[in-house]
Amino acid sequence: MARYLAQIIVMGTQVVGRAFARALRQEYAASQAAAEARGRAGQQSAATSSITGMSLQEAQQILNVSTLSPEEIQAKYEHLFKVNDKTAGGSFYLQSKVVRAKERLEEELCIQSQDDKPKPPPEQKQTAGT
């Protein structure tokens, strides 16, 4: 009886382990496909999400902004920062999330402004004889 119980536990663990590994591979493949679909800016954005620990969508939801306009971001940030001030009975955790969301959105604005700038033409090298 104990032998069968041990076999069931081992098999169950193997099944769960395989399912977890498969789900992890699928999630990784999906994130890679999404990053490739967004192109270079998407790769920078994905890297920024990885570094800051917050996705662009999460930051937009926290500050309740739909477009990336600096004025709207700043206005929402100031309001939510004041509302969540610990001296006003707010939450330090929520206040820190608001700060991180603002930082993430500002990073995204920087990435977009870098992509919008025209790249200078490559310099032509002059030969010694001319």
Side-chain angles (χ1 to χ4, degrees):
M1 180 68 176
R3 180 178 168 198
Y4 293 121
L5 184 60
Q7 286 178 340
I8 290 172
I9 291 172
V10 169
M11 286 178 51
T13 305
Q14 288 175 344
V15 169
V16 169
R18 284 188 207 123
F20 180 74
R22 187 177 321 124
L24 192 60
R25 281 193 300 272
Q26 288 175 348
E27 182 62 31
Y28 181 75
S31 68
Q32 292 297 323
E36 285 179 23
R38 288 189 301 254
R40 182 176 163 269
Q43 289 173 350
Q44 284 181 337
S45 181
T48 302
S49 293
S50 174
I51 291 168
T52 61
M54 182 178 292
S55 70
L56 176 61
Q57 291 79 17
E58 182 181 2
Q60 286 178 313
Q61 286 176 346
I62 289 170
L63 290 182
N64 195 25
V65 294
S66 55
T67 60
L68 293 179
S69 77
E71 298 81 19
E72 183 181 10
I73 292 170
Q74 186 65 32
K76 297 281 185 158
Y77 164 77
E78 288 174 359
H79 170 70
L80 290 171
F81 191 84
K82 287 178 189 175
V83 168
N84 288 299
D85 189 13
K86 193 162 181 140
T87 59
S91 165
F92 180 72
Y93 173 76
L94 292 177
Q95 196 177 37
S96 68
K97 287 297 247 184
V98 169
V99 171
R100 297 296 168 245
K102 179 180 181 251
E103 289 174 350
R104 176 62 179 93
L105 293 175
E106 287 174 343
E107 284 293 322
E108 192 66 28
L109 286 171
C110 287
I111 290 170
Q112 287 182 1
S113 68
Q114 288 173 357
D115 288 342
D116 292 343
K117 289 181 183 175
K119 295 180 181 174
E123 295 179 16
Q124 295 180 354
K125 295 182 180 179
Q126 295 180 351
T127 59
T130 57

